[in-house]
Amino acid sequence: MSLRVLWTAGFVLCLTGLQLIRAGDHPSYVAAVYEHRVLLNPEPRVPLERRSALKHMQQNLRMFEEQTEDAARQGAQIIVFPEDAIHGFNFTRSSIAGYLETVPDPKEITWSPCSEPDRFPDTEVLRRLSCMAHKNRIFVVANMASRQSCDGHIDPQCPVDGQYQFNTNVVFSDRGTIVARYHKHNLYFEAAFDTPAEPEYITFTTPFAGRFGVFTCFDILFRDPAVTLATDMGVRQMVYPTAWMNQLPLLAAVQFQRAFSSGAGVTLLAANIRAAEYGMTGSGIFTPWDSVVHHDTEGNSGKLLVRSVPVMDPAFVGESYRTTLVPFTGYSKTNLGSELEEAQAWDVNFFSATQGDPKAQFCRTDSDCVETDSPLTFTSIMMYDNFTLTPLKGNKGNLTVCSGSLCCHLLFQRSHTLELYALGVFNGLHVVHGTYYLEVCALVRCTALHHSSCGGETEHAQTLMDFRLDGTFSTRRVFPGILGSGMTLEVPDHSGWESGSRFYMSRRGMSTGLVTAMLYGRHYEKDNI
Ligand SMILES: *[C@@H]1O[C@H](CO)[C@@H](O)[C@H](O)[C@H]1NC(C)=O
Ligand SMILES: *[C@@H]1O[C@H](CO)[C@@H](O)[C@H](O)[C@H]1NC(C)=O
Ligand SMILES: *[C@@H]1O[C@H](CO)[C@@H](O)[C@H](O)[C@H]1NC(C)=O
């Protein structure tokens, strides 16, 4: 999402969260995502013949084939490839013509392009993907550019050139049959594509894990279809091709993937493309409790992630502690009853421990501390939004910052005061690179020791912080996220609604410095005011 590129980051591949959950007493399946280093058309605005477009796409598809084989060898039953990973990006409506294929609606036509290659013309990409699925007996989720003819006499929205052009996800069963087709709804400056007239709520069913929902990239920030799938339709497992530009401190790819999976209470199989020159990296396999992720802004290659994932579809496994999640209500780290009580008990102890420190100190360095009682607030631009912030002072404290009806409240205790942190609030319409209404509480590590550095991009922090963050949100859609130094991801020990009106999360005992703790609220109903 960012137009800035980070060069400072390292390489991270890690398993976060609780790994001690007993295996064996719950059905699972093996999922794979592939972060593909996309080979781009260097001149995407220049129209190409079909033959040249195919030649370009076959280079990317060749790598898809290798990775599908590798994933299947490791036992994967489903593999997800990134958005734009076959054709690239930055086309115009006309320059993409050679890349387009017509994808028949699987609700109307049952078709395996691998088995019946000549049934529809100009479907080489569909064929090759279908054969990958068929040959390796694996579900394949891929993103491609599609066209769909329309008739302006019947359909008043039909574009003047007589066809829709869609950013499209296609899902193939392990027999190679097309089982789902999804047209991206929330486009991100994609001149080549049309927005479908209505959002599409697309799911497909697998024999190994039940039902999955489908959406793409920027869709993750909007209600339709992503949140509607999770809340109204009860879909607990999502496949998510993306081409996401990292933007710290709130919207790095893996950071928001983690937050979406936690907030919506779903498994998210997220595949991002790898294009360092555009700040694109960050893929993972997320459950509400843990994740395997890849984030690499320096390397030059793709990355296959494979892991076993518990089945979350209640229609498939029946109700269990894993499947009875209610989206956007918050969960304990393990979603086990006894642990929940423990987490709450800890919260109570923590409050009393932090009470009564009225003369908080604000330290620029260990020897340069200012004692102050006065709440000091300032504003700083964070990701194009004008946040109101208040700095953390001393080793522990209790602070509040408000914007309109949204008050953010923080209790914290930290290892030292050498780094500047601030608690920020934003309650308003975000208008740069997309229009969407935010209610955000964010504890951020500032990149330097002056206030205007709060909200800047950093992947690093040394301060160990125990905290409890809450906010008086007017929306029920809050995505909790905790980012540690070196792009490590954490889930809250506990999160949820208290007294019906405040959403909170708490975390203690992190082993890395805290970069960002956020409660990212989205007020979808206010997007169009
Ligand atoms: C895509 O377009 C953006 C904005 O015009 C430009 O900065 C970027 O270099 C382009 N990327 C490619 C791959 O052409
Ligand atoms: C935090 O401060 C507020 C007032 O500033 C006070 O009402 C509240 O009890 C404090 N909470 C804790 C846990 O110290
Ligand atoms: C941010 O908001 C404050 C207070 O409303 C205002 O004084 C300041 O000019 C704003 N900053 C920017 C860059 O718009």
Side-chain angles (χ1 to χ4, degrees), residues 54 150 170 221 233 237 271 378 407 508:
L54 271 177
C150 52
V170 186
L221 289 183
M233 296 173 64
Q237 310 173 125
F378 60 96
C407 285
R508 166 177 90 153

Side-chain angles (χ1 to χ4, degrees), residues 331-333 339-340 343-344 347 491-496 504-507:
Y331 320 102
S332 66
K333 201 168 170 185
E339 304 262 346
L340 188 145
Q344 281 168 341
D347 284 345
V491 291
D493 292 326
H494 199 65
S495 66
Y504 80 99
M505 70 169 166
S506 59
R507 183 78 177 96

Side-chain angles (χ1 to χ4, degrees), residues 40 44-45 89-90 278:
L40 293 168
R45 291 181 176 82
F89 42 76
N90 272 9
Y278 303 107

